[in-house]
Each structure stands twice: as structure tokens, then as C-alpha cells.
Amino acid sequence: MVMDDLLTTKELQDLLKIDRTTVYRMLNDGRLTGVKVGGQWRFPRKEVDAILEGKPAAPPALNPNVLPLPCVQSIQNVFAEVAEIGAVTTAPDGEPLTEVSNACAFCQLILSSESGRQACMASWRELAAKPEHRTQFVSCHAGLQYARARIEVDGNFVAMLVSGQFHAQAPTPDEEAATVSRLAAAHGLEAAALAAAARELPVLSRKNQARIGGWLEAVAHTFEEIGHERSELMRRLKRIAEMSALNSPG
């Protein structure tokens, strides 16, 4: 983005007919996005033009300062290894925010295909639409069991932790062959490689599923606590920045 595409705080105030405090309030609640240039806020001209035209603002992206993704990735990695299943943290629209942890060979093959990745994201979106904080394990598009726990920060559904990649009961040879054939054809995958990976998929008992479900909810709750603490810290820092800005020349 070039500097001509960015507005100063004073230019923004003049265009929107608002005071400086309102500018910072809009930054805080997501109605505006801005960048710091030389210690001063600058605002994308296109976004301001859209506000002037009465167009709805695009939903704000996940703020990595509120839910720090490197930290989330590290905790997710440990959870997936201990639980011996795959895990990923996604946005509510199914877009992955982290790398998939402990992905099995079967899922790695599917995710290597763009159509397979889109099918996985569609399955994750279906989970996002469910009202429960933690869902029961259900079948994904590839026939594997998975579930999700919501991650809410300041009352907003910002992300979800998805885990699974196992069978609730072993499929018959005919069922497995039909699934492999369907997925290989749909996503342009080598059937032999997919069949070999399918034979390595684990089968988990109800007891182990319940245990993993409890861990899933606990890890998601940990992410929420991290998000709440970081959100509160960012609010305090923003209040300090607003006070400093109000006492400085425009």
C-alpha cells in the first residue's frame, strides 16, 4: 500500500466529521482499521470511501495480538501429539489459522489437493454453524470422525479448535475401497497411495473419544483465557495511546 492510499487522522476526521476520540473508538471496535507510520495512525482511503458511501464494512480479520497464533500453534501441537490425533485452529469460515498438527498420511494426501483442502474447509464450516460450544464427533467429507470447540473472546466467536482424523469403528474392506475410490476420483489423488494411508487410520473407542473431547474443550478454553488477557492488555495500551494522542499536536 502506497502512502497516497493512506489518510492521516486529521484527514479522516475532516471526511467523516468526527472527533479524535471517535476515531480511536472506531479503531477499538473494529469499524476502522489502521496502520502506524512513524508513530502516527494512517487509514486506508478505500475503507474510508466505503464508509462515506454507506457500504457495510468487511468483518475484521482475527487480530494476532488478541489470539497470538504462534502460541496457539505450539499448544495445539502438544495437544495433537498427546491425543495422537490431528488438530487445527480455524476461523469461523473454516479458513485455517494454524498449520494442521499431527496430520495423518491419509489427510495429508487429501489436503495436498486444492479441491481436497476446500472440502475439508467446507466440513469445518459445517461444524462452525452448530450452536454447541463443543460438538460431538461426527463424520467429515472423507468419512473420518472429528469435532470442534468454539473459541470466544469478548463474547465474539473468533476461532475454533478442530480435532479428529480417526474412525469410530473399523470400516469393512468394501466400505474402505468405496471411500478411497470416491476421494481419489474427486481430488485427483493416486488411489493406491490413498488406500495404503487409509489402512493406517486409527480406530478409537468411545472411552478414548470422550477423553479427547474433554481435552479438546480444555485446550480451547485455554486459548480463550489467553485471548481475554491479551485483549484486556491491548485495551489498556490503546487507552494510553489515546490519552497521549489527545495531548499531542494533530
Side-chain angles (χ1 to χ4, degrees), residues 110 115-117 119-121 123 139-144 146 179 182-183 187:
I110 293 175
S115 62
R117 181 177 180 275
C120 289
M121 288 173 57
S123 290
S139 294
C140 71
H141 75 99
L144 301 183
Y146 71 136
T179 298
R182 173 177 61 83
L183 292 172
H187 306 304

Side-chain angles (χ1 to χ4, degrees), residues 228-238:
H228 288 309
E229 290 179 5
R230 294 296 291 271
S231 180
E232 180 59 30
L233 175 61
M234 293 305 297
R235 278 193 289 268
R236 292 177 182 176
L237 292 174
K238 186 160 289 188

Side-chain angles (χ1 to χ4, degrees), residues 6 24 27 34-43 241:
L6 297 173
Y24 293 117
L27 271 171
V35 294
K36 280 289 189 72
V37 178
Q40 299 294 322
W41 281 106
R42 296 292 184 268
F43 305 91

Side-chain angles (χ1 to χ4, degrees), residues 182-234:
R182 173 177 61 83
L183 292 172
H187 306 304
L189 301 172
E190 184 182 343
L194 197 61
R199 289 192 289 272
E200 301 301 319
L201 289 168
V203 178
L204 297 187
S205 66
R206 288 186 178 275
K207 179 179 179 180
N208 283 337
Q209 290 179 50
R211 180 181 61 175
I212 290 171
W215 291 350
L216 170 67
E217 190 165 8
V219 173
H221 183 63
T222 298
F223 291 163
E224 289 181 331
E225 290 181 335
I226 293 171
H228 288 309
E229 290 179 5
R230 294 296 291 271
S231 180
E232 180 59 30
L233 175 61
M234 293 305 297

